[in-house]
């Protein structure tokens, strides 16, 4: 091989190193395969791309479980209560197909007629919520002020859809309400077990959240007994709270209902549809 003056011939080791680098860069691509029409292997490298490209039209629907937003792609035996028990003597030990931890599926958003029931479910299943008031504090007058409060819309067997609270005048949120009774209440589905069990991030729009806005009022004497049943049945420790803090019951007189359970904004639910709906899981 002729070599011009001033140039050095390429060494075989250099060519080999270049080929190894190329193969190392391209090899991860072989690890991504489409398993089925509704499942992906999600890794850190594609999380961001998947989130940005996900739309209701592009994402496939899952009819496997109508009560779930996300459903792990495990074999059916994994969902049985006795799946963890050893097989009976003499029985062949079947090996279930492996399920990568990053496999997931999900369903589409339910129709408008089901949204009031989902909103009532969140109102009844929530043990606490984030209450936003208009601050009356001298350092932040007129600014939003948020606080997490325990609540209940009734005993477990009696959902009213109206959130009740057991509060003290010393709470900053209550001091705000004495000046301006208008407030917003956020009830996230992540407060329960559903989103954690189904590997849904609490900030994911598919993890439903309900926002109620209205006027916070003190419970009337005629309704105090029901308020006690509602709060103390869900939060028994409240009975032992120090009495010197002058606890009393409040409730929200709901004016607007907003539900988010998918991409693309929130749904406005009428009060009529909300109060006549039967609670159902999102």
């Amino acid at each position: 091989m002729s070599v011009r003056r001033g140039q050095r011939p390429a060494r075989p080791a250099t060519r080999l190193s270049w080929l190894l680098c190329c193969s190392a860069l391209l090899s991860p691509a072989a690890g991504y395969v489409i398993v089925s029409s509704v499942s992906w292997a999600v890794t850190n490298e594609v999380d961001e791309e998947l989130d940005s490209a996900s739309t209701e039209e592009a994402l496939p629907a899952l009819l496997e479980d109508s009560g779930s937003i996300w459903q792990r792609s495990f074999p059916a035996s994994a969902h049985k209560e006795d799946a963890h028990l050893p097989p009976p003597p003499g029985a062949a030990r079947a090996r279930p197909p492996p399920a990568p931890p990053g496999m997931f599926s999900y369903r589409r958003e339910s129709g408008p007629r089901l949204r009031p029931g989902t909103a009532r479910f969140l109102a009844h299943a929530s043990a606490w919520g984030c209450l936003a008031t208009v601050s009356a504090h001298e350092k932040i007058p007129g600014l939003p002020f948020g606080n997490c409060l325990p609540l209940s819309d009734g005993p477990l067997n009696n959902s009213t859809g109206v959130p009740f609270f057991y509060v003290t005048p010393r709470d900053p949120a209550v001091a705000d309400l004495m000046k301006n009774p208008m407030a917003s209440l956020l009830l996230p589905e992540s407060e329960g077990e559903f989103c954690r069990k189904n590997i849904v991030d609490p900030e994911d729009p598919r993890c439903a959240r309900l926002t109620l806005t209205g006027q916070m009022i003190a419970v009337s004497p005629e309704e105090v007994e029901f308020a006690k049943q509602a709060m103390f049945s869900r939060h028994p420790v409240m009975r032992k709270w120090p009495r010197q803090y002058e606890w009393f019951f409040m409730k929200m007189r709901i004016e607007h209902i907003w539900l988010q359970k998918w991409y693309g904004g929130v749904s406005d639910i009428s009060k009529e549809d909300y109060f006549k709906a039967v609670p159902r899981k999102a």
Side-chain angles (χ1 to χ4, degrees):
M1 179 177 62
S2 62
V3 180
R4 292 183 182 180
R5 180 176 299 177
Q7 292 185 346
R8 299 178 62 184
R11 296 181 180 178
T14 304
R15 294 178 181 178
L16 180 60
S17 300
W18 173 253
L19 292 175
L20 290 175
C21 290
C22 292
S23 62
L25 291 173
L26 295 177
S27 59
Y32 297 96
V33 294
I34 297 178
V35 179
S36 69
S37 61
V38 295
S39 300
W40 286 265
V42 176
T43 61
N44 293 335
E45 289 81 0
V46 297
D47 272 341
E48 189 170 338
E49 180 181 354
L50 177 62
D51 291 340
S52 62
S54 297
T55 62
E56 185 175 0
E57 290 75 16
L59 299 179
L62 177 70
L63 301 179
E64 181 179 356
D65 182 3
S66 60
S68 307
I69 292 179
W70 296 67
Q71 178 65 42
R72 274 183 171 273
S73 298
F74 292 132
S77 61
H79 301 286
K80 296 180 180 180
E81 295 182 357
D82 57 350
H84 65 285
L85 298 177
R93 191 178 187 87
R95 294 185 60 186
M103 299 299 294
F104 66 87
S105 304
Y106 50 86
R107 65 171 174 82
R108 293 178 186 265
E109 182 186 17
S110 58
R113 65 184 183 86
L114 301 178
R115 294 170 189 164
T118 300
R120 285 293 303 272
F121 169 78
L122 291 175
H124 188 56
S126 298
W128 60 268
C130 298
L131 189 73
T133 58
V134 180
S135 178
H137 196 281
E138 59 182 5
K139 293 185 178 181
I140 52 171
L143 296 181
F145 185 84
N147 195 8
C148 293
L149 297 175
L151 60 89
S152 170
D153 83 325
L156 289 175
N157 61 349
N158 185 8
S159 170
T160 66
V162 177
F164 288 83
F165 304 84
Y166 191 48
V167 294
T168 170
R170 303 188 187 188
D171 191 312
V174 178
D176 296 341
L177 295 172
M178 296 303 168
K179 297 289 184 67
N180 186 341
M182 300 305 297
S184 294
L185 177 66
L186 172 66
L187 304 176
E189 189 175 20
S190 58
E191 191 270 330
E193 295 290 331
F194 174 80
C195 292
R196 287 194 292 269
K197 287 183 177 180
N198 290 275
I199 324 298
V200 183
D201 189 279
E203 300 300 323
D204 193 308
R206 287 163 288 194
C207 192
R209 64 206 70 179
L210 174 68
T211 301
L212 304 175
T213 61
Q215 187 176 9
M216 293 287 291
I217 60 175
V219 172
S220 63
E222 296 79 14
E223 208 173 5
V224 165
E225 190 58 36
F226 179 81
K228 286 183 179 180
Q229 295 178 12
M231 293 301 299
F232 295 163
S233 63
R234 307 284 290 275
H235 308 276
V237 70
M238 287 182 172
R239 296 178 181 272
K240 300 180 180 180
W241 283 1
R243 297 187 179 276
Q244 65 266 26
Y245 288 91
E246 302 175 345
W247 302 96
F248 68 102
F249 294 97
M250 295 189 78
K251 69 176 184 178
M252 175 176 280
R253 183 180 291 165
I254 299 174
E255 297 184 6
H256 300 283
I257 302 104
W258 309 90
L259 177 70
Q260 180 176 4
K261 55 182 300 187
W262 194 254
Y263 299 106
V266 297
S267 302
D268 187 2
I269 301 173
S270 68
K271 291 193 294 182
E272 180 183 2
D273 291 341
Y274 175 77
F275 284 110
K276 73 179 182 181
V278 177
R280 63 173 298 278
K281 289 186 177 182

